[in-house]
Amino acid sequence: MSSKEVPQTLTIAGSDSGGGAGMQADIKTMQENHVFATNVVVGLTAQNTLGVQMVQPTDVEMIDAQFDSLFDDFDIKAAKTGALFDQIRVSAVIKNVKKHNIHPLVVDPVMVAKGGARLLDDQGIHAIINDLLPLADIVTPNLPEAQVMYNKPIETKDDVIDAASFIQQLGAKNVIIKGGHQSGDLIEDYVLLENGDSFIMESPKYDTVRKHGTGDTLSSAIVASLAKGNSVEDAIIEGKTYIDKILQSEILVGHGHGPLSHWGAENAF
Ligand SMILES: Nc1ncnc2c1ncn2[C@@H]1O[C@H](COP(=O)(O)OP(=O)(O)OP(=O)(O)O)[C@@H](O)[C@H]1O
Ligand SMILES: Cc1ncc(CO)c(N)n1
């Protein structure tokens, strides 16, 4: 028998009963990237590829208990947040991030599901901007989320650059503004690093509705890479390489915004 230590990671997020987004996407991504995934369930969603039918946030006592259980036992090397639902849950998560000194922390500021359902209320948005971003090693807003944080429209490439630097000044060390909502044939994710360096990760825009959970998947692949000891820059590039690869092999599941094939092109079928 052989035994092996593996890096342990944590997703602090909402559950997607449909299995394509939220912590299910996170855990699948972490598994496929060869790290061990643990989770704090911040809320439940009754959800499928067509939309979100019901949301139920977790009691704070239960959120606290999950954090305590994990940090009494596991050696968490990197963590992420996903859907946090409201200000009460955001505050509970912040309290635990501080208590357990959780870092590196990737904050995916999930606000709205692909079908349009809100996964974070207005006070929750303020709590993330004011209190969670200063604890974030990396924040990964999509374009609509970046606009909410920037509080201005983002229309040009210069707007993206200005928004990233504004969001960095809110406290997040490194910023990725994801380009999945861009029009045109190309997608550009803009990265601003802590040292002021910036770069664009470009890919073709795949014409598909089967991309439920792309944001969760990108941030979790970054967490997996960080947990293995890679630098922030390398982890971001590795995360983008993973999402780009799996977007190229579709699986036919559900009747709406279908999930990704997390096991990746070369292993599928
Ligand atoms: N159609 C597409 N073609 C190529 N890459 C894409 C496409 N859509 C998203 N991506 C990539 O997926 C990652 C996530 O971007 P996106 O802007 O979709 O995040 P998101 O809106 O937070 O996703 P979700 O809400 O589904 O979790 C980025 O790296 C982005 O470039
Ligand atoms: C629970 C949950 N988290 C995140 C997203 C965004 O992908 C979603 N649709 N559902």
Side-chain angles (χ1 to χ4, degrees):
M1 194 183 60
S2 70
S3 52
K4 189 177 172 216
E5 267 188 42
V6 289
Q8 294 145 48
T9 61
L10 167 62
T11 169
I12 306 160
S15 164
D16 169 8
S17 56
M23 65 173 34
Q24 285 76 10
D26 298 341
I27 293 168
K28 290 173 187 181
T29 301
M30 290 162 173
Q31 176 84 9
E32 287 308 316
N33 285 281
H34 306 131
V35 296
F36 185 84
T38 66
N39 55 270
V40 167
V41 186
V42 181
L44 304 176
T45 67
Q47 186 174 174
N48 54 26
T49 65
L50 301 170
V52 177
Q53 290 78 41
M54 186 173 162
V55 172
Q56 188 173 83
T58 309
D59 287 347
V60 170
E61 197 185 348
M62 185 62 193
I63 292 177
D64 291 345
Q66 293 176 77
F67 276 105
D68 288 342
S69 294
L70 295 177
F71 283 89
D72 277 349
D73 192 12
F74 296 92
D75 179 18
I76 305 293
K77 295 287 189 213
K80 67 158 278 188
T81 62
L84 300 181
F85 304 100
D86 56 24
Q87 190 257 329
I88 294 173
R89 274 18 85 165
V90 176
S91 298
V93 168
I94 289 169
K95 179 184 71 188
N96 280 286
V97 167
K98 289 181 176 162
K99 175 177 174 186
H100 300 289
N101 194 20
I102 301 174
H103 69 86
L105 180 70
V106 179
V107 171
D108 184 4
V110 175
M111 296 182 190
V112 176
K114 278 258 161 20
R118 287 198 70 170
L119 295 173
L120 182 66
D121 68 11
D122 285 341
Q123 287 174 313
I125 292 176
H126 286 124
I128 286 190
I129 293 174
N130 296 327
D131 303 323
L132 187 56
L133 286 194
L135 303 175
D137 292 280
I138 306 177
V139 65
T140 64
N142 61 24
L143 273 175
E145 290 156 358
Q147 293 192 121
V148 170
M149 291 177 174
Y150 187 41
N151 206 16
K152 280 192 219 172
I154 300 176
E155 280 154 6
T156 65
K157 289 188 183 188
D158 283 345
D159 292 343
V160 173
I161 294 169
D162 291 345
S165 112
F166 183 89
I167 292 167
Q168 193 176 53
Q169 279 160 37
L170 292 172
K173 292 192 179 78
N174 302 275
V175 181
I176 308 173
I177 299 189
K178 298 174 293 192
H181 296 246
Q182 273 166 356
S183 52
D185 299 337
L186 286 178
I187 292 212
E188 294 183 343
D189 292 355
Y190 179 78
V191 181
L192 175 61
L193 297 175
E194 188 175 8
N195 65 7
D197 288 352
S198 63
F199 59 97
I200 287 171
M201 301 189 294
E202 190 184 275
S203 61
K205 179 166 185 172
Y206 307 115
D207 183 18
T208 174
V209 292
R210 299 184 183 280
K211 48 186 190 131
H212 186 48
T214 44
D216 316 75
T217 299
L218 173 70
S219 54
S220 298
I222 293 171
V223 166
S225 183
L226 289 171
K228 291 182 212 161
N230 292 317
S231 69
V232 165
E233 182 173 350
D234 287 350
I236 290 171
I237 292 168
E238 217 181 296
K240 174 67 179 177
T241 305
Y242 176 71
I243 183 75
D244 194 56
K245 180 179 80 173
I246 69 171
L247 272 165
Q248 294 178 57
S249 76
E250 283 195 347
I251 48 169
L252 304 181
V253 175
H255 298 87
H257 293 286
L260 301 164
S261 62
H262 282 103
W263 52 86
E266 79 272 20
N267 296 326
F269 324 111

